[in-house]
């Protein structure tokens, strides 16, 4: 396997058929397990900005750097602090976190499920205690990123090597025609995130251990000008915006995910109290 380390975006543009990598905390295990395959890896750390500049955050900034940054909104700081383990946060980048793959055990074990191009959702029919409570018809996976939920509630804008888009538009629900969960094109690189000012924000997370666990349910809340934005991690195949607290009444849990709706309600209540 070849490893390229481009030093300019121009070099990278010719890399559309290659696998990008930053901290490698997601890419390396997926390569090891044969879920991803690549002849050429492109380490993007030489070209993706790292660090915080006013309201812009380089996508190469690590979660460890963000959890210790007093100038960013609390929701983002807390989401980074509560994610993964210290070692993973030291290596894992913001951009890589937004693009991490599902933790659905059937997908990780390479069952030929819909996200792998097959015609069944093994989780819907099988074990799905950790799965989604919204938009779980086609694929019931639950998006694992704490950070993405926080950025969604905060109303972040993404700057890529090709365009500018609201974070919400980075994600899409998979369907029969297109099984992708993200809208990035091959070779497109996330460069920076831009955050609008918010008055208050928070991120609360329920996990099955106190440390180093993915969100069973994560709730991010941000307040601007009397309006509140709420987003869920672990609630749908993609980070999920709740139009209002009562939007949880419209959840469509599977037989063994109804408990998540109760947890989400409790976290939403606490998050609203906090902000
Ligand atoms: C055991 C474990 C526990 C974890 N727990 C949590 C958790 O509780 N909460 C949570 O939110 N996350 C959790 N994570 C996810 C972790 O935060 C991510 O793996 C990490 O942030 C990914 O960053 P990276 O730089 O290592 O990405 P990489 O592995 O390098 O890349 C991940 C993906 O992003 C792409 N990519 C990377 N950077 C860019 C870029 N700038 N532009 C375009 N594409 C890019 C790669 O091609 C790849 O598809 C956990 C991970 C592990 C392994
Ligand atoms: S939830 Fe999604 S990833 Fe998991 S088995 Fe079903 S289709 Fe596959």
């Amino acid at each position: 396997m070849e490893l390229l380390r481009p030093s300019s975006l121009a070099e990278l543009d010719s890399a559309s058929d290659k696998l990008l990598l930053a901290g490698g905390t997601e890419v390396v295990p997926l390569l090891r397990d044969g879920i991803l395959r690549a002849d050429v890896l492109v380490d993007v750390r030489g070209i993706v900005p790292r660090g915080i500049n006013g309201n812009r955050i380089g996508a190469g900034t690590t979660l460890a750097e963000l959890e210790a940054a007093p100038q960013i909104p609390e929701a983002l700081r807390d989401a980074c602090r509560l994610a993964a383990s210290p070692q993973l946060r030291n290596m894992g980048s913001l951009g890589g976190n937004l693009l991490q793959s599902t933790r659905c055990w059937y997908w990780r074990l390479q069952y030929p499920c819909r996200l792998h191009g097959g015609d069944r959702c093994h989780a819907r029919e099988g074990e799905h205690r950790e799965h989604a409570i919204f938009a779980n018809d086609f694929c019931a996976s639950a998006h694992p990123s704490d950070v993405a939920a926080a950025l969604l509630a905060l109303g972040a804008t993404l700057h890529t090597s090709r365009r500018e888009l609201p974070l919400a538009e980075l994600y899409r629900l998979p369907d029969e025609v297109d099984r992708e969960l993200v809208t990035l094109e091959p070779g497109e690189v996330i460069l920076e995130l831009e955050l609008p000012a918010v008055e208050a924000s928070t991120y609360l997370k329920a996990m099955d251990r106190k440390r180093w666990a993915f969100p069973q349910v994560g709730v991010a809340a941000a307040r601007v000008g009397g309006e509140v934005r709420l987003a869920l991690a672990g609630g749908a195949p993609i980070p999920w915006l709740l139009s209002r607290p009562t939007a949880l009444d419209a959840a469509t849990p599977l037989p063994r995910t109804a408990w998540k709706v109760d947890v989400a309600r409790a976290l939403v209540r606490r998050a609203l109290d906090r902000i």
Side-chain angles (χ1 to χ4, degrees):
M1 190 184 292
E2 198 183 349
L3 175 65
L4 304 180
R5 291 199 167 105
S7 52
S8 72
L9 274 173
E11 277 178 62
L12 190 82
D13 262 353
S14 61
S16 59
D17 55 341
K18 305 179 176 76
L19 179 58
L20 308 184
L21 129 139
T25 60
E26 172 78 334
V27 165
V28 172
L30 292 178
L31 284 170
R32 180 199 59 206
D33 295 344
I35 298 175
L36 281 179
R37 286 181 187 81
D39 294 326
V40 183
L41 290 178
V42 182
D43 182 343
V44 294
R45 284 175 298 182
I47 46 173
V48 172
R50 180 170 176 174
I52 303 164
N53 185 5
N55 65 344
R56 289 173 84 120
I57 305 176
T61 313
T62 64
L63 304 194
E65 288 164 341
L66 291 171
E67 73 178 298
Q71 68 273 45
I72 63 171
E74 195 172 325
L76 181 56
R77 208 168 45 240
D78 284 352
C80 293
R81 179 176 59 78
L82 292 168
S85 63
Q87 293 89 339
L88 287 160
R89 297 198 295 273
N90 270 327
M91 288 303 291
S93 65
L94 180 58
N97 181 284
L98 298 181
L99 297 175
Q100 61 181 290
S101 302
T102 175
R103 304 310 294 191
C104 172
W105 35 68
Y106 293 105
W107 188 87
R108 295 260 160 184
L109 291 169
Q110 301 184 59
Y111 278 62
C113 73
R114 283 180 177 145
L115 271 205
H116 278 308
D119 57 7
R120 288 171 62 190
C121 171
H122 297 265
R124 280 188 65 87
E125 301 163 17
E127 186 43 64
H128 54 241
R129 183 181 173 277
E130 306 284 336
H131 284 67
I133 55 172
F134 283 103
N136 48 14
D137 241 18
F138 186 79
C139 160
S141 62
H143 201 269
S145 171
D146 298 299
V147 178
L151 288 169
L152 190 58
L154 290 166
T157 299
L158 216 60
H159 295 263
T160 79
S161 49
R162 299 185 190 162
R163 61 196 162 130
E164 185 184 312
L165 66 162
L167 180 78
E169 292 178 17
L170 174 64
Y171 298 103
R172 63 179 299 282
L173 288 168
D175 55 32
E176 204 63 62
V177 177
D178 184 348
R179 310 295 167 102
E180 290 296 328
L181 292 167
V182 293
T183 61
L184 275 199
E185 292 160 11
E188 183 174 9
V189 185
I190 302 179
L191 296 175
E192 286 186 305
L193 282 110
E194 189 177 341
L195 298 179
V198 296
E199 286 150 17
S201 71
T202 192
Y203 182 73
L204 301 176
K205 176 175 180 180
M207 356 182 196
D208 62 3
R209 291 187 299 268
K210 228 177 165 183
R211 296 271 182 282
W212 192 13
F214 285 95
Q216 292 173 323
V217 181
V219 169
R223 177 165 53 79
V224 194
E227 286 200 8
V228 170
R229 283 170 62 100
L230 289 163
L232 289 183
I238 57 178
W240 199 250
L241 208 52
L242 286 179
S243 51
R244 64 186 86 80
T246 51
L248 280 166
D249 296 344
T252 53
L254 299 170
R256 284 181 294 287
T257 58
W259 64 276
K260 280 195 172 191
V261 181
D262 297 332
V263 172
R265 279 191 218 289
L267 292 183
V268 164
R269 243 188 344 260
R270 286 182 209 172
L272 292 175
D273 280 352
R274 273 206 189 183
I275 61 164

